[in-house]
Structures are given as structure tokens and as C-alpha cells.
Amino acid sequence: MSEVKVPAAAVSGRSGSRLLSRLVQQRATLFWAAVVLLVVLAALLSPLLSPHDPLKGNIREGLLGPSADHWLGTDKLGRDVLSRLLYGARVALLAGLEAVGIAALIGIPLGLLVGYLGGWPDRIAMRIVEGVMSVPFLVLAIALISVLGPGLTKSMAVVGVVYAMTLLRLTRGQALAAREELYVDGVRVAGAGDRRILFRHILPNITPPLIVQVTLMIAGAIIAEATLSFLGLGVQAGQASWGSMLSDAQASIRESFFLALPPGLAILLTVLAFNQVGDGLRDLFAREAKGGSLGVNPVHHESGSGQPPPPGLVAADPLLRVRDLTVSFPQPGAGRVTVVQGVSLDVAKGEILGLVGESGSGKSVTAMSLLGLVPDPGRVAASAVELDGRELTGLSFEELRKVRGGAIGVVFQEPIASLNPAYTVGDQVAEVLREHEGLSRAQARARVVELFEQVHIPEPDKRIRDYPHQFSGGMAQRVMIAMALACRPRLLVADEPTTALDVTVQGQVLDLLLELRAETGMSILLITHDLGVVADVADRVAVMYAGQIVEGGPTEDVFRRPAHPYTEGLLASLPRNVRRAGRLPSIPGVVPPPSAWPVGCHFADRCPYARPQCLETPVELSARGDDRATRCVRAGELTLAGVGDVPAAGEPLPPAAGRPVVKADPPLISTRIEKRP
Amino acid sequence: MKTTDPGPLLRVRNLTVTFTERRSTPWRRPGAVTAVNDIDLDIEPGGTLGLVGESGSGKSTTARAVLRLVRPSGGSIEAAGFEVGSFGRRVPIAYRRAVQAVFQDPLGSLDPTKVIGDIVAEPLGIHFGLRGRERDKRVAELLDQVGLASHHGGRYPYELSGGQRQRVNIARALAVEPKLIILDEPVSALDVSVQSQVVNLLEDVQERTGVAYLFVAHDLAVVRHASDRIAVMYRSRIVEEGPADRICERPAHPYTEALLAAVPDPDPARQRLQRERRRELRAAAPAAGPRPATGCPFAARCPHRMPVCAETFPGWTPVPDGGRVACHLFGGEGTARPSDTHPDYQETSR
Ligand SMILES: Nc1ncnc2c1ncn2[C@@H]1O[C@H](COP(=O)(O)OP(=O)(O)OP(=O)(O)O)[C@@H](O)[C@H]1O
Ligand code: SF4
Ligand code: SF4
Ligand SMILES: [Mg+2]
């Protein structure tokens, strides 16, 4: 899902047809696009469609009401209103195209150039743009036209130049951002010159926002034309334009109120249609850009198989008990795909359970679904999710929110991104306390300092006044942990808590987790892709692959004697700090996407031990010994290699404990320096 | 040039890169960050140098300076016979042919509006003027070399998995038959099971083509596997350098030691030892002090800190089993003996 970072591929090729199919779902945009199309047709075909000459009329037939001959009646000079309206569409569109065309021709190339070059050309261009844009648009246009003289072409050229400033600024901003993108470095290193980078790579990537802006600008230009024509600065007197029609109507408003309606409605509808299409396009491109929003998704209750999961995944004294958890997302063209299939597991009181798997295996979705935090179109169901005996399925989102942050604390991967940059960290933690525990301001503050001490943030009473960006990654993660601990949770859900941190800092955060567990007796559900982290802190491990738990049991046993071929492959392919012995073992192929999961064993196409029977029927989890579970039809016959079996020839063990702890004192220098004789 | 002088393929001397920070407020003077401070690097033709260090230590900036994507403020870079410092705004096309790159973010480094075939074909057109059938044939060959099928050529980058995208990046780099490829965290964004596929692919390519690598990564275990030599960077400085196995088995610099102790091992028994070691080192570290403006960059965290450490940056001392270390513990002129000073790393512990 997070794969969908593809705003710009919007423009051509197969992604274009995908965009089209998405457009079809945007009914409103389609409707307004049809309106635009009608206006365009009216403009193009006005000579054919018009029943009368728009410029000639019989003054004796002035101000007639609608009739069979004159559907919309006639104006004061007896000219047919419908014909004038149709010709007016032509004027409006031509004016819009002229202004926007000029704006695009000036604004886009200049914007690209100054955005890409930066430096002084950029600064000069931006000063000019700011100067021009600081004057109200119409005032500027009227001032210029009064110099140049009236006339539609001239006045729209002026409008175009003013609009060019807006486009220039937009293009420049987009180009500036695109210039920093890694793919630009990529093509530059490939040998592409500036012109190629600019027109072949950056321009196609920034086209979508430009299209949106240009569409909205046409609407603006149509209004500008009408306004200027109304004021007599646009079309020549007598010519049919919606603006001049309005002005005529105004002149005879006492005699006929009706005359103002057709041009007024035409302007309103056309402008509205262009604006709606522009907004629709923006939505369309934006939807390409993000996968979906974080939404609210309570866990639905659904009766499961009733089968208890095998040992290895169950605990005698569970704090968290999950049964038959299933999560699905709608996928275009494929109905719903199930990304987590029937996950059952327990977390015992005071236990750290490691949930490992590669990206796309469903480990994060599993954890987030327990908290009601699955992104929006997702659907979560389970036969049971019990926290300390309390059933969480069927709870409303509001009730779940109380549980989360109360009995369950959460820590995410990106500590700094998870904190609000606009508030001090102290205030953010205090807010949690005041909301969930109802503490007063002073009480909350005292407790925050206490929490910061608990997670070893130095000088807590000073640091609570700092903002997130003033913290390093490791310290920010401590703040997140402090926040998660605020309401003394029974269960801490930590999703890749150390992945964004440096290894030396990672060690400190893991030590902190171990220490907090010992202090508070809480349980931890630790989600990670790093087997080293699991080996470090987890008592038990559950391995996920392609939406299913494939193996579970005590960490040490599982890693020494894996019972599933995937666990074996994962352990073997992990680069370790050992002397090189040929190529790294690896698992061939890639994790298949959810829509391609087979009925049988999900791992079959990558498994070196696969047999035809593996693909026949769904593979169930089965017990192995009295504390292990595995999902492999050949589990009984296979003997798999674990970490102890890694050839470690010639490698020294890590330094033994008991090495004298060295204090930061100078005398040591004598023992460490070996002067050459 | 290179044929007459069979020196290193890449020779970096006293490289320094300084960024001026954007002013937060107009009346404040813009600050400067020295991202890379006076570093030296050498890579032999066909060799691999691993560059490790924590985030923000200046690894990527070093890589980008060699690629001329940032301008150094001091020092010299000689690569594949070119003096990089002499380039103006335009980098000679021949340099782009000799030195290629693969970046950390496999998706971000591919133009989202182009299909894979066009992405791989682009350098073929630029450098060799290949067109039409001939070019398509070469694209198919390149895709095949990195283990992709020719039907991938018609896909967009977002339609591939992370590992496949990184293969595309490698294919594009290989298209021009470069002498040196800068790999900036080439596998960090990939899943474990795919990571090793890509490391192996890089190794195959090297065997077949004799290309040299600068392998930048934060994961010491990956770097050890992929490199002949390793340079360890800490806060803009290189603090230790030497043969990969020596660095990883008998580190001399206290920072390298801390880094090694932090590398988690999936073997729970070994990891327990690692954890003890990690805690021991941390217990011995002084309470985090301010980072000295001059002197050893590790002084704030170093268990062996001495008064002199805060004042001057230590000079280089050779290490017996290869390489050298910049740490006051090893004096200036003497020879460091990490195996003497670290009893636990002695041969007997094998
Ligand atoms: N364009 C820039 N402007 C200002 N500062 C920069 C810029 N690029 C990098 N830096 C700073 O230079 C320092 C070194 O950055 P660099 O990207 O080289 O680190 P790194 O070792 O590659 O880290 P990582 O492992 O996170 O990729 C950091 O402090 C960084 O914030
Ligand atoms: S069921 Fe068959 S394919 Fe699946 S893991 Fe077991 S042996 Fe491999
Ligand atoms: S120079 Fe001093 S502070 Fe730096 S690593 Fe060596 S002993 Fe530690
Ligand atoms: Mg980097």
C-alpha cells in the first residue's frame, strides 16, 4: 500500500489508462467535464447552431420575450439572445485560451529555468513576481489596458502576463522541489545534461499540478474577459460577449429583467465547471500520490474456526489473546484482498513477543488492527481480541481510543515524525496524561518529569520545554516511549521502534525496553524485521510470511532449530559479523503480493523443499513438540539449520564478559601504547 | 592517464565539505556544518572499500562529492584519471561513464514517469548513441544480467518490488561499463531475504567486469561481507581504516569497538554476550558531555577519554594487521597493537 508513491506517472502510457479508470469513478468531475465539453461545442459550432446573426437585429423587435423564433428572446436592439450567447461562448473560450496560453508560454519555461538554476536568476525573478502579484489583479490589468488601449486581444494578453506570474511561481516551486529528488541525481550521474534533465525528466514529473492550475486559470480568465468586456475594455462595442451582454442587460434592466439571466448563468456555469474539473483533477492526482488516509477501523466480531491455535502461539496466562484476526483491503480490479489471514496469538503477562517478517508480510497491519489504526478502506475482523480478559472486538472507535493510550501504549518507527512539531514534548506527553488520567496541569508536569527520568532523558525538567526537532532520533524515541508509558499500560505495542535509529542508539533503546519491562511487569509486542533485535530481547517469536504466522515458539529454540523453511532461509540470509565464506545465502524470488497468494503454502514458490502436495490445500499451523508451532506440510521430515549451524570458522567470539571495565582515566594510556623498541 | 600510472582508481586527499545552513531568521548569520572533514580514501581497481558510520556522519556526502553532486570546500579527488576538482559546472561526459552510482532509495532514484526499458536505455543513448533495435538488444542484455526479465522493461518503477527496483538501478549503472560504482546504502531499504540477493549480484558483477566499489552503509555486517577494506567514519572524520576482517575482529578505535558491540546477532547466545559488552562499554562511557569543537569527535562518548583528546585531533598510527587508527591511545609515532590492548581479541579466543 505504501508503495503507491507515484504522483507523476499520471501523464502517459499505461498509468494513463489507470488514471482514466479512476476518473470514471469520480462522477462529479465527469459531469462537470461534460458541461465544459458542451460549452466548447457551443463555441465551435456557434455559426451552425445560431438561429440568427448575433450582430444584426431589428430594432423594432427589441426586448421580446422567449418565443419559438427567439428561444431566449431579443435584446434592446432586437438581436437574438441565444445566438449572442453561443457566439459569446466562443469569445469567452478564445479569451481564456489566449490568456492561459500566454501565461503558460511565459510562466512555465521561466519557472522551470529559475527553479532549476536557483541563485541570483531565481532571486531576481521572484522579486519581480512578488512585485507584480502584490498589486490586485484587476487594478493592474485595467491600468495596463488604459495604457495599451482597449481591445480583447490586448486586454487578454495583459491578463496572460499577470497570470504568467502565478504559473512562474508555481512551476519554480515545483522545479525547486523536483531538483532535490533522488531520481534527478540518478539521471545526472547517468550523464544527462541540464536541458535533458529539465525537459525530459523534471517537466513530466511536475505536469499534474500544472494541468490543475491551468484549468483553474481558464475559469479565472473567463471571468476576467467578462469583467473587462462589461467595463468596455474588452470586446469592441456591439460584439457578442457574455460581459458585453451583461452590460447591455444592465442598460435595459428596467425594461427587461430577464436579459441578464442568460449571460449571467452562462458565466456562472462555465466558470463553475472549469473550477470543478480543476478540483477533480487535483483530487485525482492527489489520490495517486497517497495510498489512503489513516482511518478508524474497529475490530468486527466474527466467529472463527473455534480451533485453538497450536502451542508456541498460546500462553498459559495471556494478557493479550488474539484469535482468527483477518484484515482485508479493497483492491481495484480484484475485489477485496486479505492481507492478514487468521492470525492467532497470545502475549503472556510480562512477556516480550517478537513479531517478525519482511515488508508486506502483514506484521504492522496485525499490530495496528488491534488498536483500531488500520488505514481506512481496510476491514478488520476477529473471533476474539481480549486484553486482560476484556473483549475488544465490537468496541466503537471511541472506546478503542480509550484502551489505546490507556491499557495499551504504542511506539512507532519514526519518532520525530510521530511527534507534533508545533508543541513542546512536555506538553504533548502532559496532554495524554490530562486526557486519560484527568491530572491537573501541575500534576501532569510533575509526572512528565518523572517519566522522562524513567526513560533516562538527561535533565528532564529542562528538556520538557524543548520541541521535537531539538531531539536526536534516539532521544525522540525515548520521548515516544515515555508517552506510551504515561498511563502505565499493561501492553506496549512497539512497531519497529529502533529501525530508524543508529545501531549504537538501537542498543540503548532495547536496553531501556528490557529495563522497563522488569520495572513495570508490562508485556511488549515488538514488531520488527530485524532478527538480531528479536534475538536480543524477545522471549518468544512469531514469524510472519505473506499474511500468515508460519512459525512460533521460544526465540532461542526457533532460531537454533527452525521448523519452517522460511525461518531457516531468513536466518541464513542475514548478514552477520562473521568471516566471509563465499556468497551470502539468500532466498530466491520475492514476497508475492496478496492478490497472488496461492491456495496452498504461501512460501511454495521460494521454498527449496517444495513438493506438489504443498500447493494442494491450505496449510494449517501444526504443533511441534509442546511449545512450538509451524505451518509446513513437511515439518515432520525436514531437519532445518539454525543460527548455531552457521559456519563460523575462524571467527572470534565476542569479547567475554569480565573484561575489566575501563573508566575514563588517563593512567590506562600506559597499558595501551606499545612503543616500538 | 591511468595506463601510465597504475595508482589507485580513486584517490581522495584531505576532502572537506562544508554546507552553509539556511538562515532560520534573516538577522542571524548563516551557520556552517562541516559534513566531511579532512578525509583520505583510496580504492584500487577492482577493489571494494566499505565506508561505515552512523547517520549524519558524512558518508553520503563523501559519496556525493566523488560524484560531483556536491562541491567540496577543500582537498582533492582523483578518480579514474580525472581531477574532479578541476570540473566546472559541466561534468565531462567521460567522467559520468567512468564513475556510476546506485543510491539508497531504489524507488526515489528512478524517474516515476518513465518505464524501466527507457530508464536503462537513457545512458546508452547519451554515451554510445545507441538507437532502435541495437539499443533494445543491449537493454534486454542488461536486464538479464541483473536478473530481470525483458517484460519488466515495459513496467513503471512503482510496479516493481524494492529488490527489482534496485536491480534496475544497478543495470543502469552497468550500462556504461564504468570503472567505479558508488553504492550509497544500496541494500539498506531492502528486506533481509532480498538484501543478500543484491549483495551477491554486486559481487557477480564485480567478478565479471572488474568494476570497483565504494560501498557506503551503516550496517557493519553487510559491509564486512562486501568489502576488502573498511573505513569507519564518525562525525565527519575517518577514525579508523584497514582490512575488513581486522576491523571487525580486532578493532582499534574505541568507536569501532562500540559499533561492533552494537551489531545485533541472531544467535541468542552470542547476542547475550554482545549485550553484556554493549552495556559494559556504555557503563564505562562518561556522561554525555558537549561535543568538543576541536579534538577527537568521539571524546564526548569515549570511555578512554584523556585531557588531550578534547584539544587536538589525533594523528594516524599504523595498526599491525593492516590499516591505521586516529586515536590518542595509540600515540602519534608508535604502532598500535590492538591485540595487546584488547586482551579479549587475542588469538586464543578463537
Ligand atoms: N544539503 C545539505 N545542507 C546542509 N546540511 C547537510 C546537507 N547535506 C547533508 N548535510 C549534513 O551533513 C551531515 C552529513 O550528512 P550525510 O548525509 O553525509 O550523512 P550520512 O553519514 O550519509 O548519514 P545517513 O546514514 O543518515 O545517510 C549531516 O549533519 C547532514 O545533516
Ligand atoms: S509446505 Fe512445502 S513449500 Fe511450504 S514451506 Fe513446507 S516444504 Fe516448503
Ligand atoms: S582520541 Fe581520545 S577520545 Fe578519541 S577515541 Fe581515542 S581515547 Fe577516545
Ligand atoms: Mg546516507
Side-chain angles (χ1 to χ4, degrees), chain A residues 180 500 502, chain B residues 17-22 31-36 51-64 70 104 184-185 188 216-218 233 235-236 291:
Chain A
E180 304 291 320
D502 284 315
Chain B
V17 183
T18 308
F19 293 108
T20 32
E21 281 175 335
R22 286 212 185 88
V33 183
T34 303
V36 176
L51 187 59
V52 285
E54 59 188 27
S55 155
S57 59
K59 311 179 297 287
S60 297
T61 307
T62 305
R64 295 169 64 79
V70 298
Q104 168 167 9
D184 188 5
E185 307 260 11
S188 311
V216 177
H218 65 273
M233 231 175 149
R235 295 201 168 170
S236 79
R291 177 184 171 192

Side-chain angles (χ1 to χ4, degrees), chain A residues 583, chain B residues 120 137-150 167-168 170-178 181 197-198 200-206 208-209 211 213:
Chain A
R583 293 162 61 90
Chain B
V120 177
K137 211 181 112 214
R138 183 79 185 111
V139 168
E141 264 170 40
L142 284 164
L143 290 180
D144 183 57
Q145 263 184 36
V146 297
L148 291 174
S150 50
R167 286 167 195 266
V168 174
I170 295 172
R172 174 172 63 182
L174 289 177
V176 298
E177 296 151 24
I181 303 184
Q197 291 172 11
V198 172
N200 288 338
L201 170 66
L202 289 169
E203 208 169 280
D204 292 345
V205 165
Q206 187 167 51
R208 209 173 43 232
T209 65
V211 63
Y213 294 137

Side-chain angles (χ1 to χ4, degrees), chain A residues 564-566 601-605 607-611 613-615 619 631-635 638:
Chain A
H564 193 280
Y566 174 65
C601 174
H602 289 187
F603 188 54
D605 64 335
C607 178
Y609 310 103
R611 291 282 179 279
Q613 76 256 30
C614 301
L615 275 172
V619 183
R631 192 188 290 272
C632 172
V633 289
R634 302 190 61 203
L638 297 172

